[in-house]
Amino acid sequence: MSFTVKGVHHFGITVRDMKRSFEWYTKMFGLQPGPVNHGQGKELSDAVQVEGTELSFSMIDIGGTRIEFLEYHNPRGKDFDLKNGDVGATHICLQIDDMDVAYATLLERGAVFNAPPVTLTDGDLAGSRWAYLRDPDGIQLEIWQSPK
């Protein structure tokens, strides 16, 4: 191979309102956004395959990777409506240290979970615990605790 993949730099999600998203991610997880950048023009429109693109973008650092938030001012996109089984649906999984504390804290802060935490009981991941919740745009998130 002529090149080497060294890791994941970031993954991006398009949001309706970056300010609202940042407030939510800060409130829920204590994450702090970086500077907001803006982009527009033919080169950007061609690269993202969206004609007339005008957008803002910013990243939140988490450990060794980042979540990039993109807000399209033009054109305005459709609201997120994919289900977990839909092709192209994705989720962000955050590693946590204590499921019971995280679940209770996030509930207190107003998070809406799909269901209570699930504990895996067999296989290589036995003892792992996870729970799904959605952000203000309906984007699926997961919290994950590896076995202690």
Side-chain angles (χ1 to χ4, degrees):
M1 191 106 192
S2 62
F3 65 92
T4 303
V5 176
K6 295 177 137 190
V8 175
H9 181 270
H10 74 271
F11 49 94
I13 57 174
T14 300
V15 298
R16 175 65 60 213
D17 180 331
M18 192 179 302
K19 183 176 185 274
R20 177 185 70 176
S21 292
F22 285 163
E23 288 170 355
W24 189 86
Y25 279 82
T26 298
K27 176 182 175 183
M28 292 297 150
F29 302 108
L31 302 173
Q32 298 299 315
V36 176
N37 303 284
H38 304 281
Q40 65 183 28
K42 181 174 177 6
E43 185 177 50
L44 176 61
S45 294
D46 290 348
V48 298
Q49 295 184 320
V50 177
E51 187 153 339
T53 294
E54 294 177 25
L55 59 75
S56 297
F57 59 99
S58 181
M59 296 197 191
I60 290 179
D61 288 322
I62 304 173
T65 193
R66 294 151 213 83
I67 302 173
E68 178 185 31
F69 291 83
L70 301 114
E71 180 183 341
Y72 281 74
H73 306 292
N74 185 55
R76 299 287 287 174
K78 295 181 283 185
D79 286 338
F80 182 84
D81 67 351
L82 297 177
K83 296 178 183 63
N84 281 322
D86 293 338
V87 174
T90 188
H91 68 274
I92 299 167
C93 182
L94 302 174
Q95 178 82 35
I96 54 154
D97 59 354
D98 188 313
M99 179 61 72
D100 294 325
V101 171
Y103 183 72
T105 300
L106 291 168
L107 282 174
E108 285 174 11
R109 293 176 181 171
V112 178
F113 284 86
N114 299 1
V118 173
T119 302
L120 302 177
T121 58
D122 44 341
D124 292 342
L125 298 174
S128 299
R129 299 181 72 199
W130 60 272
Y132 275 8
L133 64 152
R134 292 193 182 264
D135 81 358
D137 288 303
I139 297 166
Q140 192 74 58
L141 304 173
E142 179 181 10
I143 55 173
W144 178 280
Q145 178 189 338
S146 296
K148 294 185 177 182

